Amino acid sequence: QRWEMEKQAAIQGGGEARVEKQHAKGKLTARERIMVMLDPGTFHELDMIKSSLEPGAIPGEGVVTGRGKIDGKDVYVYSQDFTVNGGTLSEAHGEKIMKVMNMAWESRVPIIGIQDSGGANIKKSVSSLAAYASIFNLNVKYSGSIPQISVICGPCAGGAVYSPGLTDFTFMVSETSFLFLTGPEVVRQALSEEVTFEGLGGAAVHARKSGVVHRACKDDVDALRQARNLLSFLPPSFEQPVPRVSTQDPVDRVDEALNRIIPEDSNTPYNMLNIVERIVDDGNFFEIQPEWAKSIIVGFGRFNGITTGIVANQPMHLAGVLDIDASCKAARFVRFCDAFNIPIVTLVDVPGFLPGSGMEHAGIIRHGSKLLYAYAEATVPKVSIITRKSYGGSHCCMSSKQLGDMGQTNYAYPGAEISVMGAKGAVQVLFQDALKKDKTGELRKKLEDEYQLEHCNAFMAAQRGYIDAIIEPKETRKIICSDLENLIRKKAGAFRLPMKKHDNLPL
């Protein structure tokens, strides 16, 4: 009888009035979120009545934990309950979270954290901080071993922000969720700056400006369903093979429209997403961080049912240049794919790194090195296709042949331009004295045309073996599917890196 009473108390959480208040804000309760996230009838709750045992403690300690299934595959989940002490983290609360994190690792399955908390429990003081640090330690310990997903459905402030910051992917609900180290009141007192919760740490800020979250979602249900969709692309752990699903999309499908997407004028922009969506299975592409660092596209698609990470320059934004944010965005994505044995397809149209003192002073050399480093250390199958421009150092960084190994193939479209720099810049450097006497501009045009013909093309790269072939755009999908089918069969030992304690990525 006592067990049933405690169970009912845990289910009720903070009580009917607080639940109604939660609903009035457009938010689901902790348990409702789990029901949306998991397959119906699969949730198995753990530590339902665990509490601090102190007078007035509510069974469950403000967090619901357990395991269930998503699309029939096992996951572990915890969901913070804002109706109980504002979802604040106590020692017992932290212990429940750490338990399911450890169980997820032991079972080699993903862990999903649904955040809705006021932060550390002030009354618990140091024990709350210790619990947070212990959770962060597990985030780091299991990084690259099992997928870790965060869904921010309410406030997440102070030290609490570091767990989502350490996880692989973070989804955030617009208008009802906030993510910041110090709130608006502290900012006002410390800096005399007036800022709203939304302006300081809302979903739009982190999806478009900071890049902290990977997708901003319209409500709880949207966020949870998007997280479910993402997990359909991911393996349960680094030890498991990449998911493969059935598809009716022919592997040898030829798409004539691809021959017409890229403009004849190399300075005219086009939407790289049009190419991505035409080559993946059934046009299904799950973009990651679509609103941040828009000059580069990253996300998941499938080729012949095989989950594949896709990285592509986006000529529609800043001509597809690599700046600091784009480099960091792509580098982290490449490293995630490599950690979980997900093949990578790279579509290249990059005129260079963004120039200027602002970029140089902000450390573009260091941040650009991250992308080069990520591709160079990746041992997964890689297929790279230069669709148009590939200039200078950015050419090297975007999965060039020399950054790969026997597990990589490189191609170019017929009109691709591969060079140290574009014809206009090269002619200015090489013939600056002669150009001073060129009053009509005819000499400049002649020299630029000659340089373009002799040096800015894919033929020279093919002659030297820097690319494996020049291919027709319409055959892009056919070639990628064929290569991936071959490359995923190669033995992992062939790509083994030298022994070391760990690398020293230029953070």
Side-chain angles (χ1 to χ4, degrees):
Q1 185 178 4
R2 184 179 177 186
W3 164 250
E4 290 299 326
M5 290 175 61
E6 293 286 297
K7 278 180 60 178
Q8 286 304 312
I11 291 171
Q12 291 173 6
E16 187 176 341
R18 291 183 180 177
V19 169
E20 288 179 358
K21 188 176 181 180
Q22 184 90 340
H23 287 161
K25 294 179 180 178
K27 298 166 63 176
L28 300 178
T29 65
R31 293 179 182 278
E32 289 168 343
R33 289 166 180 156
I34 289 177
M35 295 304 107
V36 172
M37 172 64 75
L38 302 179
D39 295 347
T42 64
F43 181 54
H44 177 73
E45 188 167 354
L46 300 171
D47 291 330
M48 187 177 192
I49 67 169
K50 180 181 175 72
S51 72
S52 63
L53 303 180
E54 295 178 356
I58 296 176
E61 201 66 21
V63 63
V64 183
T65 61
R67 72 171 190 269
K69 293 181 183 294
I70 292 179
D71 295 329
K73 294 182 285 188
D74 289 329
V75 298
Y76 278 84
V77 62
Y78 68 87
S79 181
Q80 293 179 311
D81 188 349
F82 194 80
T83 70
V84 179
N85 298 323
T88 54
L89 189 133
S90 64
E91 188 173 10
H93 183 127
E95 288 171 352
K96 289 183 66 174
I97 293 175
M98 287 183 278
K99 180 175 178 176
V100 289
M101 291 179 73
N102 284 321
M103 294 180 76
W105 156 245
E106 290 163 1
S107 301
R108 304 296 196 272
V109 298
I111 178 73
I112 303 160
I114 304 173
Q115 313 279 343
D116 189 0
S117 167
N121 189 314
I122 298 175
K123 294 180 181 178
K124 306 299 181 182
S125 188
V126 176
S127 63
S128 291
L129 297 179
Y132 269 129
S134 297
I135 292 170
F136 303 157
N137 183 51
L138 294 185
N139 287 134
V140 174
K141 184 177 179 180
Y142 300 146
S143 178
S145 298
I146 56 174
Q148 300 182 58
I149 311 294
S150 295
V151 185
I152 315 298
C153 294
C156 184
V161 301
Y162 286 116
S163 185
L166 290 167
T167 57
D168 298 309
F169 299 102
T170 301
F171 297 82
M172 196 170 177
V173 179
S174 298
E175 297 183 0
T176 59
S177 67
F178 310 104
L179 195 64
F180 41 64
L181 276 167
T182 54
E185 181 59 25
V186 175
V187 171
R188 186 184 66 79
Q189 292 180 5
L191 303 173
S192 299
E193 178 185 344
E194 297 292 340
V195 63
T196 64
F197 281 87
E198 185 70 23
L200 180 63
V205 168
H206 289 307
R208 298 170 187 168
K209 293 184 178 181
S210 73
V212 169
V213 303
H214 297 82
R215 280 202 171 191
C217 310
K218 63 182 181 181
D219 54 31
D220 286 9
V221 173
D222 183 38
L224 296 164
R225 286 179 175 170
Q226 289 203 41
R228 276 182 62 101
N229 190 9
L230 171 63
L231 281 165
S232 72
F233 288 93
L234 309 183
S237 77
F238 80 106
E239 295 177 329
Q240 302 300 313
V242 174
R244 186 165 196 167
V245 302
S246 61
T247 178
Q248 300 301 312
D249 200 343
V251 296
D252 58 353
R253 172 168 56 82
V254 172
D255 190 344
E256 295 286 348
L258 290 172
N259 283 352
R260 301 188 294 271
I261 286 180
I262 299 175
E264 290 186 13
D265 181 359
S266 63
N267 293 318
T268 300
Y270 62 95
N271 192 344
M272 184 67 84
L273 278 171
N274 290 338
I275 294 180
V276 173
E277 291 172 353
R278 298 192 80 93
I279 61 176
V280 296
D281 290 356
D282 307 305
N284 182 16
F285 177 60
F286 189 92
E287 189 172 357
I288 301 295
Q289 294 176 307
E291 298 182 84
W292 180 62
K294 289 186 176 184
S295 65
I296 202 158
I297 298 165
V298 301
F300 296 104
R302 296 184 180 93
F303 291 94
N304 195 19
I306 302 169
T307 291
T308 305
I310 297 169
V311 180
N313 303 107
Q314 174 55 291
M316 292 293 290
H317 294 274
L318 297 176
V321 298
L322 291 175
D323 59 10
I324 288 174
D325 288 346
S327 299
C328 293
K329 172 180 171 178
R332 189 152 193 257
F333 182 76
V334 168
R335 298 193 88 224
F336 175 85
C337 290
D338 187 49
F340 289 95
N341 305 306
I342 299 172
I344 302 168
V345 167
T346 306
L347 302 176
V348 183
D349 188 348
V350 59
F353 282 93
L354 186 64
S357 59
M359 282 286 112
E360 297 290 353
H361 296 172
I364 195 168
I365 296 172
R366 173 165 49 89
H367 294 293
S369 296
K370 295 175 185 177
L371 180 55
L372 188 154
Y373 202 105
Y375 270 118
E377 72 169 352
T379 60
V380 294
K382 290 175 283 187
V383 179
S384 175
I385 299 174
I386 300 171
T387 61
R388 189 165 65 177
K389 296 177 182 177
S390 190
Y391 289 160
S394 61
H395 163 79
C396 300
C397 289
M398 290 297 294
S399 196
S400 62
K401 173 68 80 175
Q402 290 71 29
L403 291 187
D405 47 32
M406 296 304 292
Q408 174 168 334
T409 54
N410 292 71
Y411 302 99
Y413 285 173
E417 302 174 10
I418 307 171
S419 184
V420 173
M421 62 177 67
K424 185 175 182 179
V427 166
Q428 182 62 41
V429 171
L430 294 172
F431 304 101
Q432 52 183 316
D433 290 337
L435 291 175
K436 291 176 181 178
K437 304 173 184 178
D438 180 28
K439 305 299 183 182
T440 64
E442 292 182 4
L443 176 62
R444 176 184 291 276
K445 185 179 186 309
K446 176 177 177 295
L447 292 173
E448 287 178 359
D449 290 344
E450 289 176 354
Y451 188 90
Q452 185 79 23
L453 182 64
E454 295 177 16
H455 300 285
C456 293
N457 58 68
F459 185 71
M460 290 178 63
Q463 279 186 316
R464 289 162 175 76
Y466 299 158
I467 58 175
D468 296 299
I470 297 173
I471 65 171
E472 287 293 324
K474 67 180 181 180
E475 297 185 336
T476 302
R477 171 179 167 80
K478 175 182 174 182
I479 289 169
I480 292 174
C481 288
S482 175
D483 280 10
L484 290 181
E485 198 67 50
N486 174 261
L487 292 173
I488 61 174
R489 294 199 301 266
K490 291 182 179 291
K491 294 182 179 179
F495 314 129
R496 194 166 293 148
L497 294 169
M499 290 294 293
K500 51 191 168 184
K501 183 176 181 181
H502 62 72
D503 56 35
N504 189 21
L505 176 71
L507 295 172

